[in-house]
């Protein structure tokens, strides 16, 4: 459980450290899932016994009475999460599985939102953009099947599904390069879930295209307000970039608001690309060119994976990471480079 | 229940019609709440027996095993609903009552969202901007305590809490009149929950201030897209209004986007006021003057009322309608009238 470490009782992490194996291997062993040798199983069990590690019994008893409900953790102020909720409801129409929602909100952090669902006897959790440290995800995944959406969790022993940022950045850069752009700024959000991956995807895509000397990675963010601040910094530069790729549509919207009011012609002077292709992007008069993540596909995968993991064969199946393809929706904010 | 009428079984509405009383009176009688004479109680019971009216037994048995959970119905794409969720979580911190969320979404209408909560043994429901017909609200209120937020329900036998539209329109008009505006357009959304009330509030406030001949009520809406359409209609007029009051902030945002891009100086040529003072309103560079509904107060009232109605004295207490005061947040979109 998220804060078991605070209680002073030995945790799964302690067992892993003492046994010299990864936490996900410990999790696999305690779940009785395949993927560990008998010798390792015995060794880990010995270490657990010696340390006095006990799995949370209340969580265990709950699990035995577990329902087929899918708990969903979302953030109240994220339009993309709203679209994911739409997608999850659509994906579960006709299924016997009910969605139980739990929001991360100003007064309610992620750990509380998750605890609530676990105690509610959900059979599996779908976490939208989880922010908890990886070791907490590992602990959680040892208690209940977890599907992480929009954040990769290769070593956490949980299922995850993300959009293909590398492909998305490739599509965005190819589109801009074809239009004659070379001085391209990426507004990054490295502390957001999946933020580092998207920054690396941009870097790699720029390198592959021989643009390394001409691109800039600058501070962006996940919110309109951060986009506004980034645009104000851009406007104070001696020269405007030829094109801007924002971390997401919300950031792009903040940039667009500032540029339009400053009298900068978009796309005449600066082209702008967002990420997500959320409903904002298609709204008149914004009409943002954006890398399209498909919330319906992400939601369908997440729901199906949660259901599979609740099936009799589920606990034994290995966690799966899935990368879904993206597309580029070209609208009014990109055009030929000036000059 | 919402669609009991479709089943061919007699409903509470049939009993009310046959007995010549209101549905809320029938609801009061079946709940055993005070507010009806013994003679009326007897007469309604006779009619119910004669018609073979049976209250939904599954709902009744669920009610007997009811929890203290508060079911919340919200819409996924409404930023104001997100703020209300924040408020409800804040209001219930430290309470034993848990919130169970159920979303109205593209694939999921209000009746489904409500049925899900009722079958989940919630002890009371908080409905954000409910859209169902009044007779269905009355039926629902006969089954489970209901608090309607942002929609008045005086005859539905349920609790409700709204913001004071009359006061809000008065504040908005006084502010504009003081700035010298007289040609003021209100963009209305009559089909939205509470939309008629807000239009009437505008009309009354304009009359009280002797502005009847100079104001216009035009088609607006609840969404940015509807605001965009309204602004395009306004731009095609021979003369721009001196000021525009939009139904809500989302509609105002659509108007603002169009005016800014058309090179109209806001507030130099046209002043603009929104309603809700949602987070959009305070965002740079939008800085919208807006009538502030207080989501925290609305949420606190709704939560407290739901808890009271689940208390032992709750079922006998009369439903209560509450109108909360509003304020006007003045920002950058209003200024002196031109000329």
């Amino acid at each position: 459980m998220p804060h078991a470490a605070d209680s002073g009782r030995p945790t799964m992490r302690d067992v892993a450290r003492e046994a010299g194996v990864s936490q996900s291997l410990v999790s696999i062993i305690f779940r009785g899932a395949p993927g560990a040798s008998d010798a390792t199983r015995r060794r880990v069990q010995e270490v657990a016994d010696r340390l006095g590690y006990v799995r949370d019994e209340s969580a265990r008893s709950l699990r035995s009475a577990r329902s087929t409900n899918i708990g969903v953790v979302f953030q109240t102020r994220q339009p993309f999460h709203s679209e994911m909720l739409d997608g999850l409801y659509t994906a579960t129409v006709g299924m016997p599985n009910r969605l139980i929602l739990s929001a991360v909100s100003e007064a309610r952090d992620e750990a509380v939102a998750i605890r609530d669902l676990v105690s509610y006897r959900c059979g599996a959790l779908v976490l939208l953009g989880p922010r908890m440290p990886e070791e907490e995800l590992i602990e959680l995944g040892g208690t209940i099947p977890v599907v992480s959406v929009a954040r990769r969790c290769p070593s956490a022993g949980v299922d995850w599904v993300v959009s293909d940022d590398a492909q998305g950045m490739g599509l965005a850069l190819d589109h801009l390069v074809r239009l004659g752009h070379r001085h391209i700024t990426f507004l990054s959000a490295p502390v957001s879930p999946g933020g580092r991956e998207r920054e690396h995807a941009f870097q790699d895509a720029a390198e592959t295209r021989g643009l390394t000397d001409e691109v800039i990675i600058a501070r962006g963010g996940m919110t309109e307000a951060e986009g506004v601040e980034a645009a104000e910094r851009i406007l104070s530069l001696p020269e405007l970039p030829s094109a801007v790729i924002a971390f997401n549509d919300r950031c792009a919207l903040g940039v667009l608001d500032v540029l339009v009011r400053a009298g900068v012609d978009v796309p005449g002077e600066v082209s702008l690309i967002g990420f997500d292709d959320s409903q904002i992007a298609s709204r008149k008069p914004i009409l943002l060119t954006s890398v399209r993540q498909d919330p319906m596909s992400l939601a369908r995968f997440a729901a199906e994976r949660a259901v599979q993991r609740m099936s009799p064969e589920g606990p034994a199946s290995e966690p799966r990471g899935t990368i879904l393809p993206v597309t580029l929706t070209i609208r009014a904010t990109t055009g030929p480079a000036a000059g």
Side-chain angles (χ1 to χ4, degrees), chain A:
Chain A
M1 298 304 305
H3 293 298
D6 301 337
S7 66
R9 291 187 321 170
T11 66
M12 201 184 277
R13 181 160 25 151
D14 300 325
V15 175
R17 197 188 304 116
E18 192 71 15
V21 298
S22 72
Q23 283 183 67
S24 35
L25 194 58
V26 175
S27 167
I28 282 169
I29 288 167
F30 285 138
R31 274 187 286 130
S37 70
D38 286 348
T40 309
R41 275 179 208 280
R42 269 194 305 273
R43 182 154 55 89
V44 167
Q45 193 55 59
E46 277 163 24
V47 169
D49 292 345
R50 179 155 49 79
L51 294 180
Y53 170 75
V54 206
R55 292 181 69 190
D56 188 319
E57 286 303 322
S58 65
R60 253 153 90 94
S61 68
L62 279 171
R63 194 171 60 150
S64 62
R66 221 182 247 166
S67 72
T68 60
N69 293 335
I70 302 172
V72 180
V73 175
F74 72 104
Q75 287 166 44
T76 54
R77 309 287 179 110
Q78 279 291 355
F80 192 71
H81 288 194
S82 289
E83 293 184 33
M84 282 294 304
L85 290 184
D86 289 346
L88 286 167
Y89 278 120
T90 304
T92 50
V93 164
M95 286 187 186
N97 309 87
R98 209 188 287 228
L99 300 181
I100 311 287
L101 310 186
S102 187
V104 177
S105 172
E106 280 176 351
R108 196 166 192 255
D109 67 20
E110 195 174 75
V112 173
I114 290 170
R115 244 191 331 260
D116 211 26
L117 290 176
V118 171
S119 74
Y120 223 77
R121 310 191 182 196
C122 289
L125 301 183
V126 171
L127 309 180
L128 305 185
R131 288 159 167 270
M132 67 180 77
E134 182 139 301
E135 59 265 26
E136 293 182 8
L137 254 180
I138 292 172
E139 288 273 344
L140 185 65
T143 317
I144 187 170
V146 172
V147 185
S148 161
V149 177
R151 171 176 165 188
R152 292 167 198 242
C153 313
S155 61
V158 304
D159 294 289
W160 50 272
V161 56
V162 299
S163 292
D164 192 340
D165 283 338
Q167 184 201 12
M169 280 301 171
L171 291 170
L173 280 183
D174 285 341
H175 173 57
L176 291 175
V177 166
R178 257 196 304 273
L179 289 165
H181 298 276
R182 297 192 68 81
H183 295 278
I184 300 166
T185 295
F186 175 62
L187 299 178
S188 188
V191 298
S192 80
R196 283 267 170 234
E197 284 84 353
R198 203 165 285 177
E199 182 172 320
H200 293 152
F202 174 79
Q203 238 160 352
D204 291 348
E207 264 172 44
T208 314
R209 284 153 188 83
L211 294 168
T212 320
D213 294 342
E214 292 153 299
V215 301
I216 290 172
I217 295 178
R219 175 149 52 101
M222 303 184 68
T223 64
E224 293 87 354
E226 288 166 303
V228 165
E229 285 168 20
E232 285 169 348
R233 283 190 295 270
I234 286 171
L235 284 176
S236 71
L237 297 173
E239 200 182 354
L240 290 176
S242 162
V244 173
I245 301 177
F247 172 74
N248 65 7
D249 287 346
R250 294 182 64 191
C251 179
L253 186 64
V255 171
L256 188 61
D257 272 352
V258 170
L259 295 183
V260 166
R261 274 152 213 266
V264 173
D265 182 359
V266 177
E269 292 172 77
V270 178
S271 281
L272 179 64
I273 297 184
F275 230 96
D276 287 347
D277 200 18
S278 56
Q279 297 215 326
I280 302 165
S282 63
R283 175 162 90 66
K284 271 209 315 183
I286 293 165
L287 301 175
L288 184 70
T289 296
S290 185
V291 175
R292 175 155 189 76
Q293 296 201 65
D294 183 358
M296 281 306 305
S297 300
L298 289 164
R300 200 177 318 113
F301 172 88
E304 285 173 3
R305 200 63 199 143
V307 169
Q308 283 163 11
R309 294 280 244 125
M310 288 189 281
S311 72
E313 311 76 45
S317 73
E318 276 300 281
R320 190 186 296 167
T322 302
I323 301 173
L324 296 181
V326 298
T327 51
L328 181 70
T329 307
I330 298 170
R331 295 199 186 83
T333 57
T334 45

